[in-house]
Amino acid sequence: MLEDAGLRVVTGPPQAAPAAEIEDLVRRHRPSAILTCWAPISAAAISASASLRIVARMGVGLDNIDVPAATEHGVLVTNVPDYCVPEVSDHAVAFVLAWTRGLVAADREVRAGHWNPSAAGLRRLSALTCGVVGLGRIGRATATKLRALGTHVIAATPESLPDTDIEIVALDELLAASDVVVLHAPLTPQTRHLIGAREFALMRPGALLVNPSRGGLVDTNALIAALHSGQLGGAGLDVLEDEPSVPPGLLDHPAVVITPHIAFSSDASVVELRRSAAAEVIRVLRGEPPRHPQNHPSAISQGAPQ
């Protein structure tokens, strides 16, 4: 798509490189656009190309992009907020189902040579209350799917949502009332460690925490302590604070299920993601407005597209 639009494409390393390596790439090539998935785009990278007009995130979250620096330099930041709604909400519900039905734990036991159905300790999903933290596109999809399975769903969200019939409560009330807590919040300075020791103490003993959003939403040390004390009954984690590093306190806990940041992924979603992000770059470099601007710089750089 980019080459067909007359642009020259320079690719970086296949794995997310550190900020210094990205900054060096920008200084050498002076691009008009940067497409990034995981790689960090720092203030130094943004200021290194006078012709830079857009940083397009191939994903939803913006925590790896210095958005204030982009705004200051007149550079648009875009994302693809609607590409993986079915996948991430499916993943969240899958964690819940795996926990209530004991799927992962039972499989581990059978593979270890144990056949003990009387020790399963399973739960009836429709008898549980599920609290969803964040009711954006994905949070709403998760809530809809959980309700279809018969659960009572409540939510905590900073937005005013007059068009929802989901009961909205304060976060503390949600934690105290929920058997399952699902996080669908962005990572910002205000939401970092949204769930820590205080919040775990408020949760129902034996509850499940599901996090398919950002690892930094949860204080990892507090999570490990809550799991090993028995206050928390399990965790379904697609993201970690320091991924890909997995703390031993999570690896060795039998009630923890971890997937490697793949909740967004499917054959359909990855194609949709790449096409949508590339289309944003093409629109902006043609002088058209982006569909999903995430900042509003007062002066947009007008360097020659390349």
Side-chain angles (χ1 to χ4, degrees):
M1 287 175 64
L2 295 167
E3 290 175 343
D4 287 348
L7 301 172
R8 182 171 65 92
V9 179
V10 176
T11 59
Q15 302 299 323
E21 189 170 339
I22 302 302
E23 291 158 11
D24 182 61
L25 279 169
V26 175
R27 279 191 292 268
R28 283 190 282 124
H29 297 285
R30 310 288 179 174
S32 297
I34 297 173
L35 272 161
T36 181
C37 187
W38 310 117
I41 308 301
S42 66
I46 290 166
S47 64
S49 175
S51 61
L52 187 64
R53 293 164 63 181
I54 177 174
V55 177
R57 167 79 163 96
M58 290 191 288
V60 181
L62 302 172
D63 43 290
N64 62 320
I65 300 171
D66 193 327
V67 180
T71 304
E72 181 182 347
H73 284 82
V75 175
L76 281 161
V77 176
T78 64
N79 67 353
V80 187
D82 52 0
Y83 81 99
C84 61
V85 173
E87 286 79 8
V88 178
S89 55
D90 283 353
H91 210 82
V93 173
F95 275 136
V96 177
L97 288 169
W99 180 69
T100 57
R101 301 310 306 156
L103 299 182
V104 176
D107 177 75
R108 290 170 180 167
E109 285 292 297
V110 171
R111 291 176 186 275
H114 307 300
W115 191 275
N116 187 13
S118 63
L122 306 181
R123 301 161 181 84
R124 176 178 287 182
L125 180 58
S126 61
L128 302 182
T129 295
C130 295
V132 177
V133 181
L135 274 186
R137 292 177 177 87
I138 298 172
R140 288 194 186 207
T142 297
T144 298
K145 291 171 184 178
L146 288 170
R147 291 174 93 181
L149 292 169
T151 63
H152 173 56
V153 175
I154 59 177
T157 183
E159 301 92 357
S160 175
L161 299 171
D163 60 336
T164 182
D165 61 349
I166 298 172
E167 181 184 359
I168 306 298
V169 299
L171 178 60
D172 285 2
E173 184 180 346
L174 179 147
L175 295 172
S178 299
D179 303 287
V180 174
V181 174
V182 183
L183 303 181
H184 283 308
L187 180 61
T188 67
Q190 293 72 37
T191 61
R192 181 170 293 277
H193 287 186
L194 179 70
I195 306 296
R198 173 186 171 277
E199 288 71 28
F200 284 122
L202 291 174
M203 292 175 67
R204 286 184 174 179
L208 172 72
L209 178 73
V210 174
N211 185 10
S213 297
R214 284 292 185 268
L217 295 173
V218 179
D219 181 331
T220 301
N221 292 331
L223 169 62
I224 293 170
L227 285 162
H228 285 267
S229 72
Q231 170 63 15
L232 195 63
L237 309 171
D238 185 57
V239 290
L240 299 170
E241 268 198 283
D242 192 26
E243 56 189 55
S245 175
V246 185
L250 296 178
L251 280 176
D252 63 16
H253 198 286
V256 175
V257 178
I258 304 172
T259 54
H261 206 145
I262 56 172
F264 71 93
S265 183
S266 74
D267 52 355
S269 71
V270 171
V271 171
E272 183 181 346
L273 168 66
R274 293 171 178 169
R275 287 176 175 167
S276 296
E280 287 283 61
V281 167
I282 293 166
R283 273 189 287 270
V284 169
L285 296 188
R286 285 176 174 170
E288 302 169 10
R291 290 183 179 171
H292 299 293
Q294 299 302 306
N295 67 339
H296 299 281
S298 56
I300 306 298
S301 172
Q302 295 298 321
Q306 55 181 311

